[in-house]
Amino acid sequence: MTSIHAQPVSFQIPPKMRAAQCTDYGTNVEQILSVPQEGTVDTPRLGIDKPPAAFKNEMLIKVQAVALAPGDARVMSGKTREFQGPPQFPYTPGGDVCGIVVAVPEETKKGGQCKFSVGDRVAARFMNKPLGMLGEYALCNTDVCDVVPQNVSSEDAAALVSSAVVAVLIADRIREGDRVLIYGAGGGVGSHLCQMARLQGASYVAGVGMDYERLMEAPLYCDYAVDYTKTDPFSVKEWCDKPFDVIIDLAGGAWPALLQHRSSGHPSIVKSAKSKGRYLTITPDNPVFEIHKMRDFFKIFLFPSLGRAISSRIGLSRASMPKYSYVLALPETSEALTRTLALASENKLIACIDEQGPFPFTSDGVRRAFELQASYHSKGKVVITVSSDK
């Protein structure tokens, strides 16, 4: 065992660790995903091993909790292997993490001193692609990382570090008094955005999701919610009579539905761009996509978004459709994460974790977590507890 004495606090770091191992691309987690009962995976070494996600400015942490996201299931499926694939098999999945710093670099890549110290409990989101975090130790990126407040649990911090940050940034686009509809309100981003919309001053917040009753309960507190499998949200009379100022599509498919209702002559549930109506989204029309070449990326993301943005601003659609904006671009700095953790510490933003979790760090637990994430029907974030050791 190696002792790290880079700071006054020190940790004994074993040469081997337990880590989730994915042996191939696919969706059958029983066949390709497991967690060994004993330490059989090399513990990453700071300054020697490169992070599998190929980022710079890393430090070593003892992992306490990992939160999954759509990208974790997408990488494992191989649907974006040319752009997000692991450097080799087997690989350790996981991108959003909370853990204890056990080793920091003597000097950062920019020549300065690392802003974190051994013993700090930190949360870091994925950088480039979600790889390498679902083990007892991991190299995390210091650029998108911050110290976790004492009154925020490690599981909550992992849940907040990515999806809640997205919710905070989207909420910055909500204006005081707005009537807001959140399409896909029950997922990882939506569960936090419902809270942030109210905090931002929205006068009315409605949610669309399968578990509509949960959307109107604490801590989401939507004013009204519908189950899209039973009710067409684009035909709700109250919303047609008093249209929304902004629709936030987190699930995909709301724009084509708006177009279809417009062509059918039905009144819209959202104001037109001419009347300052907005449509914000973070996903293509189909959230389950494959990208193997750059032309796939252009076809799925760039061309539709660019065409809709232009037509809804200067084209004929401006009078009948809201102003379209594709808004997802997580910053490569920690300021938004700092804001998010502060809101959680002040109990203004409650981390939402699916009630089936947190899942245990076992083969069965990790497999069930990935199956839930891949279903796109989680109620909040899917979180795995790796360790509770301090």
Side-chain angles (χ1 to χ4, degrees):
M1 302 177 76
T2 304
S3 183
I4 298 294
H5 297 285
Q7 298 287 334
V9 179
S10 65
F11 288 83
Q12 295 293 319
I13 302 174
K16 298 286 185 179
M17 67 172 185
R18 295 175 63 233
Q21 295 287 275
C22 184
T23 58
D24 199 356
Y25 292 122
T27 56
N28 189 334
V29 293
E30 295 289 335
Q31 295 181 355
I32 66 173
L33 183 62
S34 64
V35 178
Q37 293 184 353
E38 303 293 335
T40 58
V41 180
D42 290 337
T43 301
R45 297 164 295 176
L46 182 64
I48 298 175
D49 297 321
K50 295 181 179 180
F55 52 73
K56 299 178 181 179
N57 297 325
E58 64 270 21
M59 64 182 176
L60 185 65
I61 61 172
K62 180 177 174 59
V63 176
Q64 293 196 310
V66 170
L68 301 183
D72 292 283
R74 187 182 308 121
V75 169
M76 186 174 293
S77 72
K79 292 180 178 180
T80 56
R81 67 185 68 184
E82 289 81 3
F83 298 93
Q84 292 184 305
Q88 62 187 24
F89 287 102
Y91 78 92
T92 299
D96 295 335
V97 65
C98 179
I100 307 295
V101 178
V102 296
V104 298
E106 294 183 1
E107 188 176 89
T108 68
K109 298 292 193 300
K110 297 179 181 179
Q113 184 177 3
C114 181
K115 61 183 178 180
F116 300 103
S117 300
V118 170
D120 285 344
R121 187 168 61 106
V122 299
R125 75 164 178 85
F126 77 94
M127 175 68 85
N128 299 334
K129 45 190 173 182
L131 297 173
M133 300 302 150
L134 196 48
E136 292 179 316
Y137 294 86
L139 293 170
C140 75
N141 186 281
T142 61
D143 294 334
V144 289
C145 180
D146 202 3
V147 174
V148 178
Q150 290 186 352
N151 64 337
V152 177
S153 73
S154 295
E155 287 78 9
D156 283 357
L160 292 164
V161 72
S162 184
S163 294
V165 170
V166 173
V168 167
L169 293 173
I170 294 176
D172 287 341
R173 295 170 176 259
I174 296 173
R175 303 163 186 163
E176 187 171 356
D178 273 349
R179 287 172 54 83
V180 179
L181 175 66
I182 301 173
Y183 195 74
V189 176
S191 295
H192 299 101
L193 184 55
C194 290
Q195 303 174 61
M196 288 304 305
R198 187 73 69 196
L199 196 62
Q200 195 71 7
S203 63
Y204 180 89
V205 180
V208 176
M210 290 183 66
D211 190 1
Y212 70 95
E213 293 180 342
R214 170 179 170 263
L215 301 184
M216 293 188 288
E217 297 172 349
L220 279 65
Y221 288 125
C222 287
D223 293 293
Y224 191 70
V226 298
D227 178 352
Y228 65 91
T229 66
K230 299 177 181 178
T231 302
D232 178 9
F234 302 95
S235 299
V236 175
K237 186 178 186 303
E238 178 187 349
W239 298 348
C240 293
D241 293 340
K242 193 172 183 180
F244 293 99
D245 296 286
V246 56
I247 287 182
I248 303 173
D249 182 6
L250 307 175
W255 187 265
L258 283 172
L259 288 173
Q260 182 179 358
H261 276 72
R262 182 188 69 170
S263 64
S264 301
H266 297 296
S268 179
I269 63 170
V270 62
K271 295 177 181 177
S272 68
K274 189 175 181 180
S275 299
K276 299 183 179 181
R278 291 106 66 205
Y279 177 99
L280 310 176
T281 188
I282 63 172
T283 181
D285 293 334
N286 186 349
V288 183
F289 54 83
E290 290 194 40
I291 297 179
H292 299 291
K293 297 180 180 179
M294 283 304 299
R295 67 172 179 238
D296 297 331
F297 173 83
F298 294 146
K299 182 178 179 180
I300 294 171
F301 287 94
L302 182 61
F303 295 151
S305 297
L306 186 60
R308 293 167 182 177
I310 293 173
S311 65
S312 64
R313 284 167 170 80
I314 61 176
L316 296 176
S317 296
R318 186 171 182 273
S320 58
M321 295 290 287
K323 183 170 70 174
Y324 180 100
S325 297
Y326 195 100
V327 298
L328 179 58
L330 280 169
E332 295 186 358
T333 59
S334 61
E335 284 82 359
L337 173 58
T338 301
R339 288 174 55 198
T340 303
L341 291 175
L343 289 168
S345 179
E346 296 164 4
N347 291 318
K348 294 179 179 178
L349 178 63
I350 307 301
C352 294
I353 297 175
D354 188 282
E355 60 188 5
Q356 297 179 56
F359 291 88
F361 188 49
T362 61
S363 290
D364 178 68
V366 170
R367 287 166 180 166
R368 287 190 290 120
F370 268 87
E371 286 175 337
L372 177 58
Q373 181 61 59
S375 74
Y376 284 86
H377 293 307
S378 64
K379 300 174 183 178
K381 292 294 292 182
V382 179
V383 175
I384 300 164
T385 298
V386 176
S387 171
S388 59
D389 295 341
K390 303 298 183 184

